[in-house]
Amino acid sequence: MCQEYVAGFRLLVSNTTIPLKTAVTFALQMKIMKKLMLVLGVCFSSLCLLAQAPPAGQRMQMPSIGHVYGKVVDADGKSISDASVVVLQNKMDTATKKMKEIFLKGTATQKNGDFDIEDLPVAGALKIKISATGYTPIDQSVSFMQAAKPGGAPAGGMPSFDKDLGKVKMLTDVKQLAEVTISARTSSLRLDIDKKVFSVDKNIVSAGGTALDVMKNVPSVNVDIDGNVALRNSTPQIYVDGRPTTLSLDQIPADAIESVEVITNPSAKFDASGGGAGILNIVLKKNKKTGYNGNVRAGVDKRGGVNGGVDFNARQGKVNFFGSLNVNQMKGRTTGTTDRLNLLDSPQTKIHQVNANRNQGTFVFGRAGLDYFITNRTTLSLAGFRVHGEFKPYETIGITSDSLYSSGTMSAFSNRTSTGGRVFDGKGLAFGLKYLFPTEGEELTFDANYFGGKNSNNSNYSTDYYKTGSVDRTLLQQIRGSGKDANFVFQTDYVKPIGTKSKFETGLRTQIRSRDNLNNNYVFDEGAGQYVLIPSSASNYSNSDNVYAAYGSFTSQIKNFGYKIGLRAESSNYTGKLVESNEKFSNS
């Protein structure tokens, strides 16, 4: 030891004139002083501990200065926000004398996945539980005090009261994701760049009615007292699921409708024959819930008309089957009064009309189909529907009218009663193929649709002409009509997103339509005792219309300004024939 000190001081004083003996003496004195200071420090520490020792039988309380922090990420290293981080500790339950986990502190991860919990007890083991929706929960033990060495010897080193758990990786829990159900109510109105979409599937006002009742509650659509629908003061085209249809609005039950799209400015995707009024596209409900589910409904209106329906859906594996049946009974009543004053007549003349209508009938609407999920990206769909209806209208019209003669005006009164019946049958079949590309929003679809139907109607009119308060004569008339139609539509569409705000659409379409319509008017001949046909008032014709089209459109947005431009090319061939005269005409 002395040699070490001597060597050290030789290096220190190699450039000085201090004698070697003096250096050795100084080193020995320094060693004695160091040992003395160490003994004094130990004694002082013992006195401090003795002064702070707790009373006998009471354990010393360790301070709560523990600090745990880290970052929660998924399997790809992306941050998980709003994950629950809970700290638990095992303690003895004084009641049951058993150990149980008690809650100490908790927090939720920030947007970047970070969490930070302070003021934790440093004595004993703690458990960190991390959970998030869609991920497998994680349990992790944390201890601030180092464990004792084997044999009971105390652990060496100082304890660390800051624990960095680093990046805690959570794995996706597929089973849990399958059990998560997210439900939200969307707004009843959605504005797109070329249409307005009104959600009506939750509209209880029109439940049990027809599509005509739905339209009465759709803004920008006008429905008059006779059931005529107008959009921008013109008659719009009626589409069902994006395809033209010959169904009238009173032949579609309201309970089968999910939404109505009001397309006042049709894009290049739609036929050029849409006219200036636009398109009303009726989107029917379609259920794809997993498992077996359905609903049954029934109602009655204040006139005693009953309605009911049933929906059923079954999805197992790759097959989804859906079906619905709706029955509506109608007992409608309409009353009206019309007054017309001819101001330019001299003297002025007027017409006063009072009418009362009764319309009773029933129609049945059935729809069934299936979806086959070939892969996660490819889906085949097949659906068909059937509709049948019978109506028996009844109407009375009382008319008081003025006639102008050279001698003045003369009033006359007539009363017309009409009865009849109307029957229609329709059926349709739709096939669809949809393929989703890996890029979100990019898709290719192909659709083939058929709809056909036939109808018949007859009306009987009896008009009584009054003179001096009694019936002077009676005119009997009759209208007999029938018709049938068929529509085929083949269409393919492709959508390609460009960035986050733009997309390109293109497609091909073929539409083949044919129609036959017969309407004959008869008047009763008292001399012959039978109804006689009036050829000049007959309206019998048949026609076919074929349209071949291709389109392309581009949609984008600049800040709050959205725009859509497109181009459509069409080739159409129309042929018609008047049945009575065999006169033919065409247009290309």
Side-chain angles (χ1 to χ4, degrees):
M1 182 64 70
C2 291
Q3 291 177 355
E4 294 176 1
Y5 278 100
V6 171
F9 274 93
R10 279 177 178 170
L11 292 172
L12 182 64
V13 297
S14 60
N15 295 325
T16 65
T17 57
I18 299 175
L20 178 59
K21 182 178 180 180
T22 304
V24 172
T25 304
F26 181 78
L28 291 173
Q29 291 175 352
M30 290 296 294
K31 183 176 181 181
I32 295 171
M33 288 292 293
K34 185 177 181 181
K35 290 184 176 181
L36 181 60
M37 292 297 293
L38 180 61
V39 173
L40 291 175
V42 172
C43 294
F44 181 78
S45 299
S46 300
L47 290 173
C48 292
L49 291 173
L50 182 61
Q52 296 179 6
Q58 181 176 343
R59 298 182 60 183
M60 185 174 63
Q61 181 69 32
M62 298 297 292
S64 297
I65 56 175
H67 178 205
V68 173
Y69 57 95
K71 184 184 185 74
V72 180
V73 297
D74 60 14
D76 298 325
K78 296 181 180 179
S79 303
I80 300 177
S81 62
D82 297 320
S84 174
V85 183
V86 176
V87 181
L88 305 172
Q89 186 179 38
N90 268 332
K91 282 195 174 182
M92 179 68 70
D93 187 353
T94 57
T96 61
K97 302 301 181 180
K98 294 181 180 179
M99 300 295 291
K100 72 174 185 177
E101 290 182 341
I102 64 170
F103 171 81
L104 292 181
K105 283 196 172 185
T107 186
T109 58
Q110 303 175 14
K111 289 184 178 180
N112 60 358
D114 288 346
F115 65 91
D116 190 304
I117 303 178
E118 297 179 330
D119 301 329
L120 297 174
V122 296
L126 304 178
K127 180 184 286 186
I128 306 292
K129 296 195 70 169
I130 303 175
S131 60
T133 302
Y135 296 90
T136 303
I138 294 177
D139 292 348
Q140 187 167 340
S141 297
V142 173
S143 179
F144 296 101
M145 305 300 292
Q146 296 187 17
K149 294 181 179 179
M158 295 294 292
S160 175
F161 302 127
D162 290 303
K163 289 294 183 181
D164 182 3
L165 301 183
K167 289 186 177 180
V168 182
K169 188 174 293 186
M170 301 190 73
L171 301 178
T172 304
D173 187 353
V174 178
K175 183 182 295 185
Q176 184 175 350
L177 280 176
E179 298 171 357
V180 173
T181 301
I182 300 175
S183 59
R185 174 167 291 184
T186 58
S187 173
S188 58
L189 169 62
R190 188 180 81 248
L191 296 178
D192 288 343
I193 194 168
D194 58 345
K195 61 187 175 183
K196 302 174 185 177
V197 182
F198 297 90
S199 178
V200 298
D201 59 334
K202 303 297 183 183
N203 186 2
I204 196 172
V205 175
S206 55
T210 66
L212 200 59
D213 300 305
V214 172
M215 296 304 169
K216 294 176 182 178
N217 298 297
V218 175
S220 72
V221 177
N222 298 319
V223 182
D224 63 18
I225 194 172
D226 297 319
N228 299 311
V229 178
L231 185 63
R232 297 200 299 188
N233 297 322
S234 299
T235 303
Q237 279 192 317
I238 305 299
Y239 277 40
V240 173
D241 287 337
R243 303 292 180 263
T245 181
T246 57
L247 284 174
S248 59
L249 292 176
D250 60 353
Q251 297 172 357
I252 303 175
D255 294 315
I257 301 175
E258 178 177 329
S259 62
V260 175
E261 297 178 351
V262 181
I263 309 173
T264 55
N265 186 28
S267 68
K269 183 177 182 178
F270 298 95
D271 285 344
S273 59
I279 297 170
L280 291 179
N281 182 34
I282 298 175
V283 180
L284 301 180
K285 294 178 181 177
K286 196 173 186 180
N287 198 342
K288 288 187 178 181
K289 292 181 180 179
T290 303
Y292 302 91
N293 56 85
N295 64 79
V296 179
R297 56 190 173 273
V300 59
D301 61 28
K302 68 177 183 179
R303 307 283 186 197
V306 297
N307 61 82
V310 58
D311 299 323
F312 177 75
N313 183 82
R315 179 174 180 179
Q316 293 294 323
K318 292 187 175 184
V319 178
N320 176 64
F321 174 79
F322 58 91
S324 63
L325 180 66
N326 294 273
V327 179
N328 284 63
Q329 185 181 33
M330 304 180 64
K331 294 185 177 182
R333 296 183 183 182
T334 303
T335 57
T337 303
T338 303
D339 289 293
R340 174 179 172 181
L341 181 64
N342 300 315
L343 300 176
L344 297 182
D345 288 347
S346 182
Q348 294 180 352
T349 59
K350 63 181 180 180
I351 297 175
H352 176 70
Q353 176 178 306
V354 178
N355 63 288
N357 300 69
R358 301 290 185 271
N359 189 17
Q360 295 188 1
T362 304
F363 76 90
V364 181
F365 184 94
R367 184 168 177 259
L370 62 87
D371 300 303
Y372 178 59
F373 306 97
I374 303 176
T375 66
N376 291 334
R377 302 185 183 277
T378 307
T379 305
L380 286 176
S381 299
L382 182 66
F385 70 88
R386 189 85 159 80
V387 58
H388 174 79
E390 297 184 9
F391 297 92
K392 294 182 178 181
Y394 173 84
E395 182 181 40
T396 59
I397 300 178
I399 303 175
T400 302
S401 59
D402 293 339
S403 299
L404 186 61
Y405 296 94
S406 57
S407 58
T409 60
M410 181 177 296
S411 295
F413 175 75
S414 62
N415 187 76
R416 188 179 75 177
T417 301
S418 62
T419 60
R422 183 165 64 99
V423 178
F424 62 86
D425 285 283
K427 54 187 176 182
L429 189 65
F431 169 80
L433 170 65
K434 186 174 185 178
Y435 177 74
L436 302 177
F437 291 86
T439 303
E440 184 177 359
E442 184 179 5
E443 63 180 41
L444 175 67
T445 59
F446 173 78
D447 296 283
N449 292 266
Y450 163 76
F451 174 77
K454 59 182 181 179
N455 63 83
S456 62
N457 63 85
N458 66 86
S459 299
N460 299 289
Y461 301 93
S462 175
T463 306
D464 295 325
Y465 296 92
Y466 287 79
K467 189 174 183 180
T468 63
S470 59
V471 177
D472 179 53
R473 61 188 181 91
T474 299
L475 177 64
L476 299 178
Q477 296 169 288
Q478 190 178 78
I479 296 179
R480 302 172 190 169
S482 63
K484 62 180 180 179
D485 59 88
N487 298 269
F488 295 90
V489 178
F490 305 94
Q491 181 167 344
T492 180
D493 299 284
Y494 172 71
V495 181
K496 171 69 175 178
I498 303 175
T500 58
K501 296 184 178 180
S502 305
K503 68 177 179 179
F504 173 73
E505 297 177 79
T506 186
L508 301 172
R509 177 186 177 93
T510 297
Q511 181 172 281
I512 301 172
R513 298 180 292 188
S514 63
R515 176 175 295 182
D516 295 324
N517 189 75
L518 303 175
N519 275 294
N520 293 311
N521 289 269
Y522 301 84
V523 64
F524 188 78
D525 186 344
E526 294 184 356
Q530 63 182 3
Y531 283 94
V532 178
L533 175 67
I534 306 176
S536 60
S537 62
S539 177
N540 301 324
Y541 66 91
S542 63
N543 68 276
S544 62
D545 182 18
N546 302 332
V547 180
Y548 309 93
Y551 78 92
S553 66
F554 178 77
T555 307
S556 189
Q557 184 174 347
I558 302 176
K559 294 184 178 180
N560 294 328
F561 175 75
Y563 63 91
K564 188 169 189 175
I565 58 176
L567 181 66
R568 183 180 184 88
E570 274 194 7
S571 173
S572 62
N573 299 287
Y574 180 90
T575 59
K577 182 179 72 172
L578 297 177
V579 177
E580 301 296 332
S581 61
N582 202 30
E583 182 181 357
K584 298 179 180 180
F585 51 92
S586 62
N587 183 28
S588 298

